[in-house]
Amino acid sequence: MWQVRSVAGTAVAAPAVENLAMDNLIPVPESVRPDPATTFALSPQTSIRAAGDAAEVGEYLAGILRPSTGFPLPVRDDAGAIALEIDATAETGPAGYRLLVTGETVGLRAVSAEGLFNGVQTLRQLLPAAIESRTEQPGPWSVPGGEIVDRPRFAHRAAMLDVARHFFTVEQVKRYIDQIVRYKLNRLHLHLTDDQGWRIDIDSWPKLTEYGGGTEVGGGPGGHYSKQDYAEIVEYAASRHVVVIPEIDLPGHTNAALASYAELNRDGVAPPRYTGIEVGFSSLCADKEVTYEFVEDVIRELAEITPGPYLHIGGDEAEATSEEDYKEFVSRILPVVAKYGKTAVGWHEYAKAAPQGEAVVQYWGTTDTDPLLPEAVARGNKILVSPANKSYLDMKYDENTPLGLKWAGFIEVADAYGWDPGSYLRDVPEEAILGVEAPLWSETLENSDHVEFMAFPRLPALAELAWSPKSAQDWESFAQRLATHGPRLEASGINYYRSPQVPWNI
Ligand code: ACM
């Protein structure tokens, strides 16, 4: 017998047999109907049926399952016990899915490949943790029976990686993409430029990367992406249904550009490159025409290699720019973003320049209100919520965390989980909220181990806030479910913080 069960507020006990239950999913789905009497078993004979646009998702699934099971798992367009189907009548919205597990079949239906991809992330969490191993494991490989119907609360579920303070290679960025999609995030914001480094080639201003990309915090070698490298990241992200949002931080946070080109400076003298971690000391000159030639070249070249709809122009902490210059500068570059076909995103200060229409205002403050926000909503802007004291993955967990900063406070897992993106901001209605982003600044982070330690497990917490229905969000339930993800993260080779708030099953 199937029981209709709401997941909301359920205190879930650790299962007696690992994962033979649908209770441990993160983000928690919209609805779960377990059929405890039934399980599906993967075998050496199992095939994956996926035709047309579903085939790429089928291959992605096979790529996850083959190494650990050692099964061939062919992807076929005619038959297979695991069936991925695009079905315009699925009624699960643009990114949702329906997953039905019986004794004989696993069926995934969605209106799009994106929905199937999200369903695959659920399916992998229903298998034993060892499925994540990249070497052959003994199994058995059972999937609990039942039905899940699921769709996201917010369309925009983002992570940001700061590749400017410390540079991260294409391979490191791909690794992070593979990690964020496990928890159904679908946007990667790349903070490509800052005082310490310019990380993307701009052909018309080659010294930006040749010189301005040649260092990083602490004086290391830095690095940058060629346009080919960037295209490789964008394409890899797209294959995982992730849209890349590139950021060129303007008019502050620009020492790397100012150091590369003397003519961008007010006095015509280039400052030295910068390898410290102070902010707010650099600015482009709002009253020099060369500034606008430079910015237009950058925006044009970046827009050309960015298929996604957004271009992030920064705008934060422009403490070395007068209020008047700031408004003039931002007002002049917003039409340039539009001219090259992109929707502007900016840190919330840029709302001072009154961006119009669907422009995205990314709130990074530490309180639940800012006078710029209701004005932005009134103009029709969309609000992306990234409160620094809730969602900044580079804040320390507590005073003992060896990495990270603490200017916005300590953020333990329960703090990252304990707020509601839809109602957090006073004076901003939920309809104006585009989604949630978890930024990760890299002043103290030098490698993937560092990135993962700060992101996990707070990124899954924020992912649940962005994906799951508010009614299903519950800290006790989340902590219990997260505990079962410890072995899963370990099998995946993801470094993570063993928060004392979580009753880890390890
Ligand atoms: C920021 O943290 N300066 C956006």
Side-chain angles (χ1 to χ4, degrees), residues 253 316-317 347 349 364 392 407 441:
H253 290 277
D316 59 318
E317 297 176 312
W347 300 106
E349 295 101 307
W364 65 280
Y392 268 32
W407 60 264
W441 302 97

Side-chain angles (χ1 to χ4, degrees), residues 161 167-169 171-176 179 403 440 445-456 493-496:
L161 187 61
F167 181 65
F168 293 89
T169 63
E171 287 311 311
Q172 288 172 318
V173 174
K174 287 181 178 175
R175 182 178 168 89
Y176 198 48
Q179 293 169 353
L403 300 166
L440 184 47
L445 313 180
E446 298 178 18
N447 54 48
S448 289
D449 262 7
H450 293 169
V451 165
E452 290 159 25
F453 184 80
M454 300 310 278
F456 292 91
I494 297 176
N495 187 28
Y496 67 100

Side-chain angles (χ1 to χ4, degrees), residues 363-368 386-392 395 407-412 415-416 419 424 458:
Y363 180 68
W364 65 280
T366 55
T367 63
D368 62 4
S386 302
N389 56 336
K390 307 282 182 194
S391 73
Y392 268 32
M395 290 299 114
W407 60 264
F410 299 124
I411 305 180
E412 248 294 359
D415 304 311
W419 60 291
Y424 177 70
R458 290 181 293 195

Side-chain angles (χ1 to χ4, degrees), residues 2 22 31-35 38-40 80-85 92 97-110 116 119-120 122-123 126 143-150:
W2 284 21
M22 288 184 161
S31 89
V32 177
R33 292 199 312 156
D35 179 7
T38 299
T39 60
F40 172 86
I82 301 177
L84 276 50
E85 282 181 273
T92 48
Y97 63 90
R98 182 180 301 267
L99 174 65
L100 178 63
V101 182
T102 70
E104 292 76 41
T105 58
V106 173
L108 254 180
R109 275 171 196 270
L116 291 178
V120 161
T122 297
L123 177 57
L126 293 174
V143 183
E147 184 177 29
I148 293 172
V149 181
D150 200 11

Side-chain angles (χ1 to χ4, degrees), residues 235-258:
E235 202 176 302
Y236 191 82
S239 76
R240 279 139 180 79
H241 300 277
V242 169
V243 174
V244 171
I245 301 167
E247 179 188 355
I248 301 296
D249 203 348
L250 304 166
H253 290 277
T254 43
N255 190 77
L258 295 165

